[in-house]
Amino acid sequence: MIHLKNIEKVYRTSTVETLAINGISLDIAKGEFLSIMGPSGCGKSTLLNIIGLLDEPSKGSIRIGDQDITGFKDQRLAKFRNEKLGFIFQSYHLINDLQVLDNVELPLLYRNVSDKERRQLAAEALEKVGLSNRMKHFPTQLSGGQRQRVAIARAIVGRPEIILADEPTGNLDSAMGNEIMDILINLNKNDGTTIVMVTHDEHMAGKTHRLVRLFDGSQVQ
Ligand code: ADP
Ligand code: ADP
């Protein structure tokens, strides 16, 4: 499903050069739930952003499904990302002055979907994460776990084939973290969604199919 070949990423500023990813090749199967671990600064977020087409590698190729993404230009990349990928972040990234339902509808605004269908799909996504009773709330009126569930609803509303999650339980206590993990595990099991998750938590990583460990930009396991 996702094929990375000899990926390198160098960050250059006028004074320093950082080799953030140092030759990683990785094949992630359709329906796999993969976690990425490693010490701070080892390149986890960079790798996830490269897989998520948010950041361009300095070298190497990326194939997602049967599409070679290397060399896709901005507009095509944005469309591909919007249709195929869903993103979840540690700090939720919700828009605080939009109600929950409107937040969840956002990814559909770029698609050819009627207002009515958009509402319906967003309501269904919220039902999936158990938040049907919070559609008219604002994010600031919700707990951290509930906010992350809104973010998951937003990530899945467009029915992406792949979900990329950067420390999705990082700001949550273990009970809420486990709830979020259960939702992700169900999405993976029931809908066959491929999930790639960065985590610091061995316990959460242990619930996934496979663990990749990074050190200094290289894969060590
Ligand atoms: P899927 O998308 O379900 O993984 P594919 O038919 O796309 O199945 O790929 C089958 C195998 O071919 C992959 O496991 C991968 O190792 C290999 N492969 C083919 N082309 C590439 C490529 N450009 N980069 C990395 N691996 C590749
Ligand atoms: P992790 O997610 O594992 O903490 P990152 O992927 O964020 O690691 O960072 C990997 C390395 O790349 C670090 O050394 C970091 O300082 C460097 N880095 C990350 N982003 C940038 C950037 N925009 N400019 C320069 N260096 C960066």
Side-chain angles (χ1 to χ4, degrees), residues 11-13 18 20 38-47:
Y11 289 109
R12 283 193 184 85
T13 65
T18 310
S40 186
C42 71
K44 302 182 295 296
S45 294
T46 301
L47 185 63

Side-chain angles (χ1 to χ4, degrees), residues 1-2 15-16 34-35 61 80 86 92 118 139 176 188 191 194:
M1 184 80 182
I2 303 170
T15 50
V16 273
L34 178 93
S35 40
S61 70
F80 186 88
Y92 326 124
R118 208 165 62 223
M176 282 200 204
N188 173 254
D191 301 352
T194 306

Side-chain angles (χ1 to χ4, degrees), residues 1-5 26-30 61-66 68:
M1 184 80 182
I2 303 170
H3 307 287
L4 305 180
K5 216 171 175 184
L26 191 59
D27 292 308
I28 304 171
K30 190 172 167 59
S61 70
I62 306 171
R63 202 160 53 80
I64 295 186
D66 51 10
D68 188 341

